[in-house]
Amino acid sequence: MKIVVVDDEKGIVDGLQKMIGRYIPECEIVGVAYNGMEGAKLIQERQPDIVISDIRMPQADGLYMIQMLKELGCQAKFILLSGYADFEYARRGMQLGVKFYLNKPVEEEELRDCVCKVMDVIREEHAKLQEVDELKQEVNSRLMESALRDIIEGGSDHTVHAEELLQTAHIPMDRTHFVCALLEFESNMGPMMESGLDPVFRHVDRTLGQYQGVFRFRYLGSQVAMIVTHDRAIAYEELVRDIQRLKDALFRELKLSVTIGIGTVIEKAAGIHISFEEARHSLSYKIVKGSGAVIAYPDILTLSGKRQAVPEDMINKLEACLDNMDEEACVGAIREIFQWLEEERELSPVDLQLQCLNILLSSARKLSLEQLQQNDFLGRNLLILDGLSRYLTLDRMEAWMNQMMKGIIAFKLEHNISKKKDVIAEIKDYVSKHYAESISLAELSARFYINPYYLSQLFKQKTGDTYLTFLAQTRINKSKELLEKTDLKVYEICQMVGYSDSQHFAKVFEKLTGCKPSEYRKNPPIP
């Protein structure tokens, strides 16, 4: 640590330099001064950790020097040299926050003990400051991640507080092009998920550093979501190649196998969720492309765009059987679908695999990925989806599909998922009781065993609003009640209704009510 010595007696200064050099090697004398004014100037220049200063000095005594430095924001710790007759000076020093004193003449052992105590205090303060900084970073990171989730999970009319979400996520408003990707790691990701994703994020940042912004965070289970932003056109083929290089680097450097789905370029922030859903849909095609592939959304359109899909009424029938957990009816519905497939003589094995994928994704779209990953059978067969690529005949594919339906029904029974329920009503009731908590769409999907994208669409269909709009309105309604009936401060109400940023809360409140929280309290509506 750096030390400055200030004393008008050169012999004392020289003696302190020798003792510190000999007995306290972890400290370095970075300057000496012989009066208070000279000492104040030197301390401002050198920014030492510790200052050892005499009290009585010409031009400005030690206490006046300390007072000047404190007013200038000096953070150094001071050790005052005093005699037995300097009690009044010592009392004034305490008022200035000085806690450490040495009596003249200074003994080596006393000097070492005193300086070591000061160093311990400095280290403890630095550790506390670092802890506070880390906590702030953690809070900011969580706020940013929450905003990113809201952005990628937003509905088609994602307009309630789009600007605030972009600001919270630190996405500059001047960005004009956006692309989403979804990375799904294989089973060897377990230890990494526990210890942290920083090594993965460093590879992402390094490989995609040419783009102005890359926002990445853990999404669900072993998935990492990614938003690439740029203020000019993004060369899509080049981006796909960059992401391929990222995949190769993750395997080469971290021994992590990953499959990546990539959405298309979107030219407005409100449409980011479209690119993300394209990335999610692309990722589901690893059944055809295989694990470890990079799958761009335009590629899956060329795979399935010209082929006739299984009729919607057949899919709806299978979905209804699955809702009712009727295994026998599911077998009958699948038989009907495969009879239709048998009539499509021009379908190649890959075509048949794609049709099975579409059937499976449609019939299981209500189920939560995170919850399904907890089930060993479905984790091996449904989520990994490699098994289907081995089946090249209709009868074997049909048997595989029946096996999948049976596994889904068993899973639903195991987790006590009712046959038919008004899940949106349940979610609204849950939100009305837990609005003060962090309840993202992804977290709700995990709790209620529903695919987040399906939940987003179903919520809008049933209520006319996006989930984010409903959550914001619920929180603001509760805050209005608290403003009317309590004397709580606005920032306290902000935290009680689930917002951690009072400025963001005020903006949402004003957007939904037309006035600021303080104005609402002064002029509440007349019943």
Side-chain angles (χ1 to χ4, degrees):
M1 292 191 182
K2 298 186 294 183
I3 295 180
V4 163
V5 176
V6 186
D7 197 299
D8 60 335
E9 297 184 42
K10 188 175 186 302
I12 292 178
V13 171
D14 293 342
L16 288 172
Q17 284 183 292
K18 290 179 181 178
M19 285 190 286
I20 290 171
R22 181 180 302 171
Y23 297 110
I24 316 175
E26 57 265 56
C27 291
E28 175 191 5
I29 303 277
V30 295
V32 298
Y34 298 96
N35 62 67
M37 297 304 294
E38 181 184 330
K41 181 179 179 181
L42 178 66
I43 291 165
Q44 290 180 72
E45 291 175 355
R46 303 293 170 85
Q47 295 293 312
D49 301 293
I50 302 171
V51 175
I52 301 176
S53 173
D54 191 13
I55 292 180
R56 298 183 181 184
M57 292 184 293
Q59 296 188 27
D61 65 25
L63 297 178
Y64 181 71
M65 178 190 75
I66 292 172
Q67 183 176 349
M68 283 194 301
L69 290 167
K70 291 281 188 181
E71 291 173 354
L72 292 171
C74 177
Q75 299 297 314
K77 299 297 179 186
F78 293 90
I79 299 174
L80 283 176
L81 301 173
S82 63
Y84 288 108
D86 292 334
F87 176 77
E88 180 60 26
Y89 286 105
R91 188 179 65 82
R92 286 174 53 201
M94 292 178 188
Q95 293 173 346
L96 291 171
V98 179
K99 299 179 181 179
F100 302 97
Y101 294 84
L102 284 171
N103 290 318
K104 294 181 180 180
V106 179
E107 300 291 338
E108 293 95 337
E109 186 174 347
E110 290 180 356
L111 174 65
R112 183 176 66 250
D113 289 345
C114 186
V115 172
C116 287
K117 287 179 182 178
V118 176
M119 287 194 295
D120 288 341
V121 169
I122 292 172
R123 292 189 186 104
E124 184 178 349
E125 289 183 355
H126 286 175
K128 289 181 179 179
L129 287 173
Q130 183 177 355
E131 186 177 343
V132 170
D133 287 341
E134 289 174 354
L135 181 60
K136 287 180 179 178
Q137 291 176 6
E138 177 67 17
V139 170
N140 289 333
S141 176
R142 289 185 179 276
L143 284 173
M144 180 177 175
E145 181 175 321
S146 177
L148 289 169
R149 286 183 181 277
D150 287 347
I151 288 171
I152 64 175
E153 294 174 349
S156 57
D157 61 345
H158 188 266
T159 56
V160 176
H161 51 286
E163 290 186 3
E164 287 87 350
L165 286 175
L166 290 174
Q167 291 172 359
T168 303
H170 302 299
I171 298 179
M173 298 298 293
D174 60 353
R175 300 288 163 80
T176 56
H177 292 75
F178 309 87
V179 179
C180 292
L182 187 59
L183 291 69
E184 185 170 270
F185 293 88
E186 303 305 326
S187 56
N188 57 345
M189 189 61 179
M192 182 72 72
M193 300 306 286
E194 294 178 5
S195 61
L197 288 167
D198 286 346
V200 171
F201 291 162
R202 283 195 291 271
H203 275 285
V204 170
D205 295 342
R206 183 164 60 247
T207 307
L208 304 179
Q210 67 271 37
Y211 302 98
Q212 287 189 307
V214 180
F215 304 85
R216 64 287 184 281
F217 61 98
R218 180 176 176 177
Y219 185 57
L220 287 176
S222 59
Q223 293 183 334
V224 169
M226 190 167 68
I227 304 174
V228 178
T229 70
H230 215 47
D231 66 351
R232 55 184 181 275
I234 295 175
Y236 191 72
E237 292 183 358
E238 181 179 341
L239 173 66
V240 173
R241 287 195 295 271
D242 291 335
I243 292 179
Q244 178 69 50
R245 288 195 299 110
L246 170 64
K247 180 193 79 75
D248 295 341
L250 289 172
F251 184 77
R252 182 176 62 253
E253 303 294 334
L254 302 179
K255 306 305 178 188
L256 294 175
S257 179
V258 58
T259 307
I260 305 175
I262 311 173
T264 57
V265 179
I266 301 295
E267 296 187 12
K268 57 179 181 178
I272 291 176
H273 68 283
I274 297 173
S275 182
F276 181 75
E277 187 49 40
E278 291 174 347
R280 194 206 308 265
H281 190 58
S282 300
L283 183 60
S284 69
Y285 271 73
K286 74 175 183 179
I287 186 175
V288 174
K289 294 288 190 176
S291 295
V294 173
I295 310 166
Y297 188 70
D299 293 342
I300 67 172
L301 294 181
T302 61
L303 284 174
S304 58
K306 297 181 180 180
R307 300 175 179 89
Q308 183 178 358
V310 174
E312 186 68 21
D313 61 332
M314 293 185 181
I315 297 295
N316 291 337
K317 181 178 179 180
L318 177 59
E319 184 177 325
C321 297
L322 195 59
D323 280 342
N324 289 316
M325 291 182 282
D326 188 334
E327 185 178 330
E328 184 177 348
C330 282
V331 171
I334 290 173
R335 177 83 286 270
E336 184 180 349
I337 289 172
F338 273 82
Q339 285 176 344
W340 180 88
L341 289 173
E342 288 172 2
E343 298 173 1
E344 296 295 316
R345 300 296 183 183
E346 297 182 359
L347 291 176
S348 68
V350 172
D351 295 333
L352 293 172
Q353 291 168 5
L354 284 169
Q355 293 288 8
C356 287
L357 172 63
N358 288 329
I359 296 166
L360 187 60
L361 293 177
S362 296
S363 58
R365 69 180 187 269
K366 297 181 181 180
L367 298 174
S368 161
L369 176 63
E370 186 172 41
Q371 297 297 334
L372 287 174
Q373 284 175 320
Q374 298 173 7
N375 182 281
D376 183 59
F377 170 79
L378 295 177
R380 292 195 313 270
N381 296 285
L382 175 58
L383 297 177
I384 298 176
L385 292 175
D386 289 331
L388 180 56
S389 63
R390 300 193 300 267
Y391 302 144
L392 301 180
T393 63
L394 274 175
D395 57 341
R396 294 188 66 186
M397 288 182 188
E398 183 177 354
W400 188 85
M401 287 292 294
N402 284 325
Q403 187 183 22
M404 292 301 98
M405 295 301 108
K406 181 179 179 179
I408 292 173
I409 291 172
F411 174 80
K412 295 174 75 174
L413 290 171
E414 177 186 349
H415 289 80
N416 299 316
I417 305 174
S418 58
K419 290 183 179 181
K420 288 187 177 179
K421 60 183 180 181
D422 188 349
V423 70
I424 298 304
E426 290 189 17
I427 287 174
K428 290 173 71 174
D429 180 64
Y430 179 83
V431 170
S432 69
K433 296 175 182 176
H434 298 84
Y435 56 84
E437 303 171 12
S438 172
I439 40 178
S440 69
L441 198 63
E443 290 166 329
L444 282 179
S445 75
R447 176 174 291 276
F448 288 91
Y449 301 89
I450 300 178
N451 178 281
Y453 179 67
Y454 177 77
L455 173 56
S456 175
Q457 300 302 308
L458 184 63
F459 199 97
K460 177 68 184 301
Q461 177 186 341
K462 294 284 188 179
T463 68
D465 284 324
T466 64
Y467 166 68
L468 294 178
T469 302
F470 173 76
L471 176 61
Q473 191 65 63
T474 300
R475 287 172 166 172
I476 297 306
N477 287 343
K478 184 61 181 178
S479 68
K480 287 160 62 178
E481 180 182 336
L482 293 171
L483 286 167
E484 292 178 29
K485 298 180 179 180
T486 73
D487 295 325
L488 292 168
K489 294 181 173 59
V490 171
Y491 77 85
E492 293 176 321
I493 293 175
C494 160
Q495 295 174 348
M496 290 177 67
V497 299
Y499 290 102
S500 55
D501 186 330
S502 57
Q503 291 183 340
H504 175 58
F505 164 69
K507 289 179 181 179
V508 176
F509 189 98
E510 185 173 7
K511 187 162 290 187
L512 293 179
T513 66
C515 62
K516 298 178 180 178
S518 55
E519 297 170 344
Y520 184 89
R521 168 166 275 169
K522 292 177 182 177
N523 300 291
I526 300 174

